[in-house]
């Protein structure tokens, strides 16, 4: 049990399954001390040495266009504080993975947002120009790693607690600096060394370029379409964010659009399924988020495909009167696969479109939701979104959205960032 507790919380935190045989469950067991009695068994100190810090800063100070690549290994209060302290010293432009939203304040000018297959246009642009790529707490997943053209000329530094992953990156990427250890600890070591040795950077022109790129290539969508666009809903929601909000999502277009448009200011406020891409993740994780943070406003961003995977949780939320809000973006299709079928199979669709439409708002009403409404009219969107956010108790707002809305930008499989498709609505704006 003590081992399980340690492994669940240390390194890369996550669930640990404990299988206790029935005979042991029935036995009377003596409790032999608290966790503090065993803490020394698990203590591990891995710090950067002065020579390692000096080597890192030699590389960083030689760079003209450094870029931070922030991953889920920093998505904790400790990790966020560490990288924000580093950011105060150097103000290096940053990109983040899906799992690292909110590690730095995404409303800051130098935060480029999510990179990768469905990253923001400006994140995927600045990554092509950097000459020193500092990756922290990331696993170099396929949505990012396949598009490696950016790194041909860039020097790489990499910090992660997973030795297998670091060994893989050392073999495949040949980083100029790497370290196996706790990311927040390593960042704090670098910050301390930089303060003692008064390390400074001269990257004003690069920083200005990143900020200008972010302003020049904003996200956009089909604003003239009579049907409601998911991007429009999430763009409006972004203007209504408060620091006490926690978002969970399903998996699909709604998930990635939420990652693009919702600018998180704090860590662990955007809870989503990463590598496994588990449809149906939104509602169960929202219930857990509520019980862990009862003073927070928990909001599920879901699509109708993901929603149906765990629809039974609607009953759980309603009958327990949990103050969980569900923003259901219903395009009557599995949108992401629908989009991919349009591109790869000439618009031939298999099992991705619903032949009959279900009124999920009515179902929520039957499950004792205090607020349950469905809207199709674009003109009522803002009014109903405000009413939804102000409501008490369980709430569901079902928004009927455009089945043909496609997710952009996109970098197709096997392509590089240079091949990013912006779609018909993302265009450069004149500053």
């Amino acid at each position: 049990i003590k081992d399980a507790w340690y492994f669940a919380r240390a390194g890369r935190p996550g669930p640990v399954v404990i299988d206790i045989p029935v005979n042991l469950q029935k036995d009377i067991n003596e409790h032999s001390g608290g966790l503090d009695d065993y803490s020394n068994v698990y203590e591990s100190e891995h710090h950067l040495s002065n020579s390692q810090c000096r080597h890192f800063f030699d590389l960083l100070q030689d760079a003209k266009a450094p870029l931070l690549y922030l991953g889920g290994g920093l998505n904790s209060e400790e990790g966020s504080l560490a990288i924000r302290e580093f950011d105060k010293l150097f103000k290096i432009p940053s990109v983040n993975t899906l799992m690292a939203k909110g590690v730095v304040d995404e409303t800051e000018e130098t935060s480029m947002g999510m990179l990768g297959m469905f990253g923001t246009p400006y994140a995927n642009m600045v990554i092509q120009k950097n000459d020193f790529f500092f990756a922290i707490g990331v696993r170099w997943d396929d949505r990012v790693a396949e598009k490696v053209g950016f790194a041909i000329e860039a020097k790489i530094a990499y910090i992660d607690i997973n030795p297998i992953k670091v060994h893989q990156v050392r073999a495949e990427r040949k980083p100029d600096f790497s370290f196996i250890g706790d990311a927040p600890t390593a960042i704090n070591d670098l910050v301390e060394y930089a303060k003692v040795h008064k390390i400074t950077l001269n990257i004003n022109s690069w920083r200005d370029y990143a900020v200008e790129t972010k302003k020049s290539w904003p996200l956009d969508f089909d604003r003239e379409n009579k049907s409601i666009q998911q991007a429009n809903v999430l763009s409006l929601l972004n203007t209504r964010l408060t620091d006490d909000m926690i978002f969970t999502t399903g998996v699909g277009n709604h998930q990635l659009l939420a990652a693009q448009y919702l600018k998180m200011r704090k860590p662990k406020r955007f809870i989503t399924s990463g590598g496994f891409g588990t449809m149906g993740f939104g509602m169960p994780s929202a219930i857990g988020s509520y019980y862990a943070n009862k003073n927070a406003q928990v909001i599920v961003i879901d699509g109708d495909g993901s929603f149906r995977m765990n629809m039974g949780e609607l009953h759980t939320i309603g009958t327990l009167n949990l103050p969980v809000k569900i923003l259901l973006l219903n395009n009557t299709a599995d949108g992401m696969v629908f989009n991919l079928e349009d591109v790869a199979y000439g618009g031939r669709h298999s099992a991705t479109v619903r032949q009959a439409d279900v009124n999920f708002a009515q179902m929520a009403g039957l499950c004792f939701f205090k607020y349950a409404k469905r809207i199709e009219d674009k003109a009522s969107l803002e009014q109903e979104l405000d009413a939804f956010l102000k409501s008490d108790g369980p709430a569901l707002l079902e928004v009927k959205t455009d089945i043909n809305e496609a997710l952009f930008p996109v970098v197709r499989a096997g392509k590089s960032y240079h091949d990013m498709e912006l779609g018909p609505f993302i265009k450069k704006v004149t500053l």
Side-chain angles (χ1 to χ4, degrees):
I1 299 294
K2 294 187 293 293
D3 286 341
W5 178 263
Y6 166 73
F7 285 119
R9 295 168 59 86
R12 298 175 66 190
V16 174
V17 176
I18 306 173
D19 187 2
I20 302 177
V22 174
N23 63 316
L24 294 182
Q25 293 181 36
K26 292 180 177 179
D27 278 352
I28 296 174
N29 293 283
E30 295 292 333
H31 178 61
S32 55
L35 290 169
D36 291 342
D37 296 343
Y38 302 94
S39 61
N40 64 324
V41 175
Y42 303 106
E43 285 178 356
S44 178
E45 295 293 338
H46 296 286
H47 286 275
L48 290 170
S49 67
N50 281 342
S51 62
Q52 287 172 310
C53 290
R54 183 169 59 251
H55 175 46
F56 172 85
F57 282 113
D58 284 345
L59 293 169
L60 180 58
Q61 288 185 297
D62 282 344
K64 304 299 182 187
L67 186 65
L68 304 182
Y69 173 29
L70 310 178
L74 289 171
N75 199 353
S76 63
E77 184 175 352
E78 181 186 18
S80 180
L81 287 172
I83 196 61
R84 289 179 191 224
E85 189 67 21
F86 186 88
D87 189 48
K88 282 181 187 177
L89 292 178
F90 303 116
K91 300 249 184 280
I92 300 173
S94 66
V95 295
N96 59 264
T97 67
L98 175 64
M99 306 309 291
K101 282 184 63 63
V103 164
V104 295
D105 184 347
E106 291 186 291
T107 65
E108 293 286 342
E109 285 188 328
T110 52
S111 172
M112 300 291 107
M114 185 177 68
L115 84 164
M117 185 174 183
F118 298 108
T120 65
Y122 32 90
N124 288 349
M125 288 176 180
V126 298
I127 207 171
Q128 299 176 48
K129 303 292 185 181
N130 84 104
D131 63 3
F132 181 72
F133 195 56
F134 183 18
I136 314 158
V138 299
R139 63 184 180 87
W140 298 79
D141 68 276
D142 64 298
R143 296 286 177 97
V144 174
E146 281 185 352
K147 304 144 190 53
V148 295
F150 74 89
I152 298 301
E153 302 298 330
K155 293 184 177 180
I156 294 174
Y158 182 41
I159 293 174
D160 197 83
I161 201 165
N162 183 355
I164 296 174
K165 178 55 68 173
V166 176
H167 295 158
Q168 177 190 348
V169 170
R170 284 173 176 170
E172 295 177 355
R173 312 277 170 184
K174 304 294 189 294
D176 298 86
F177 174 93
S178 61
F179 178 72
I180 301 171
D182 179 59
T185 300
I187 296 300
N188 286 331
D189 290 341
L190 292 173
V191 167
E192 183 178 351
Y193 183 92
K195 288 180 177 178
V196 169
H197 294 85
K198 296 180 172 54
I199 303 292
T200 60
L201 299 181
N202 182 17
I203 58 168
N204 290 339
S205 59
W206 163 245
R207 192 184 297 117
D208 291 343
Y209 165 77
V211 172
E212 182 181 353
T213 301
K214 183 176 181 178
K215 292 178 179 178
S216 299
W217 292 95
L219 293 161
D220 209 349
F221 53 89
D222 185 358
R223 297 179 181 272
E224 304 303 319
N225 198 306
K226 292 181 180 180
S227 298
I228 299 174
Q229 306 296 297
Q230 293 188 26
N232 188 18
V233 180
L234 294 165
S235 177
L236 291 172
L237 179 59
N238 184 60
T239 66
R240 292 157 168 80
L241 298 192
T242 58
D243 284 346
D244 68 334
M245 287 179 176
I246 294 177
F247 292 94
T248 70
T249 82
V251 169
N253 280 2
H254 69 277
Q255 173 196 28
L256 279 308
L257 286 166
Q260 289 178 353
Y261 280 91
L262 300 183
K263 306 304 181 186
M264 298 291 101
R265 299 180 59 122
K266 293 183 178 181
K268 302 193 83 67
R269 293 294 192 274
F270 192 87
I271 313 298
T272 193
S273 177
F276 285 123
T278 310
M279 294 177 69
F281 182 85
M283 280 193 287
S285 56
I287 295 171
S289 296
Y290 163 71
Y291 279 107
N293 306 271
K294 289 194 174 182
N295 293 324
Q297 184 175 183
V298 180
I299 302 174
V300 184
I301 310 293
D302 226 340
D304 55 299
S306 282
F307 183 84
R308 292 183 308 125
M309 296 292 179
N310 262 323
M311 210 156 51
E313 299 295 5
L314 199 67
H315 183 267
T316 304
I317 293 169
T319 55
L320 294 180
N321 195 33
L322 304 182
V324 170
K325 292 179 166 58
I326 303 169
L327 179 59
L328 177 56
L329 305 177
N330 181 2
N331 64 357
T332 65
D334 295 329
M336 180 174 287
V337 183
F338 185 89
N339 292 163
L340 294 174
E341 287 174 334
D342 279 340
V343 173
Y345 301 105
R348 297 187 299 277
H349 301 288
S350 174
T352 53
V353 182
R354 253 64 82 192
Q355 298 304 316
D357 189 26
V358 174
N359 190 316
F360 293 108
Q362 288 184 359
M363 295 174 63
L366 294 172
C367 290
F368 310 105
F369 273 56
K370 295 182 179 179
Y371 175 99
K373 193 154 187 177
R374 181 188 219 186
I375 61 170
E376 301 184 41
D377 181 15
K378 194 174 179 180
S380 64
L381 178 57
E382 290 200 60
Q383 178 183 341
E384 293 304 331
L385 186 58
D386 287 333
F388 165 72
L389 293 173
K390 291 176 182 176
S391 63
D392 295 322
L396 181 141
L397 177 61
E398 180 184 0
V399 183
K400 288 297 299 297
T401 62
D402 181 10
I403 189 174
N404 293 309
E405 179 183 8
L407 175 60
F408 286 104
V410 60
V411 183
R412 306 287 177 191
K415 301 292 185 179
S416 72
Y417 288 107
H418 182 72
D419 302 310
M420 175 174 58
E421 298 173 26
L422 295 173
F425 305 109
I426 297 175
K427 295 179 173 60
K428 187 175 184 178
V429 299
T430 303
L431 300 178

